[in-house]
Amino acid sequence: ARPCGYTKLFVERRDGDVGGLAIHLLSHGVEIEWPWTPLDLREEFAMFRRYRNVVAEQLWKRLLILPSHPALTPQDLDRIAGAVTSFVPSRG
């Protein structure tokens, strides 16, 4: 078995539609992760909260994490890239 490093590939949806993208990617078999939660939103740190970190909150709502590691095959990469590029949000 070859060693496998762990990396994260963040994808930003500037329009904030990460929910739609997440559903689309999952339906295409792409495993996703949600990024960290800003500390000022975590209840266990509420006693230290002095102000809202608006920048972190806005960025957090626009990010997803895609698979990114040396064990991905060329076929895996093609599937992931195809799923990302085939996402067309509704312009409702």
Side-chain angles (χ1 to χ4, degrees):
R2 67 182 193 191
C4 180
Y6 184 77
T7 61
K8 292 185 182 243
L9 175 63
F10 287 81
V11 174
E12 179 184 2
R13 283 297 313 267
R14 291 185 182 204
D15 66 2
D17 185 19
V18 292
L21 177 58
I23 291 168
H24 177 79
L25 294 174
L26 290 169
S27 73
H28 284 79
V30 177
E31 183 179 319
I32 57 132
E33 291 181 48
W34 297 102
W36 41 263
T37 302
L39 292 179
D40 61 306
L41 295 180
R42 297 183 63 152
E43 286 307 312
E44 60 267 33
F45 295 105
M47 68 183 85
F48 303 108
R49 189 178 305 139
R50 293 196 175 110
Y51 59 90
R52 287 186 55 202
N53 188 340
V54 178
V55 174
E57 290 176 26
Q58 290 173 350
L59 184 60
W60 171 63
K61 293 177 183 178
R62 299 188 320 233
L63 295 175
L64 281 180
I65 301 170
L66 299 181
S68 172
H69 54 80
L72 291 173
T73 66
Q75 294 80 15
D76 293 330
L77 296 172
D78 287 343
R79 183 175 46 79
I80 294 165
V84 171
T85 58
S86 70
F87 179 70
V88 179
S90 64
R91 300 286 179 200

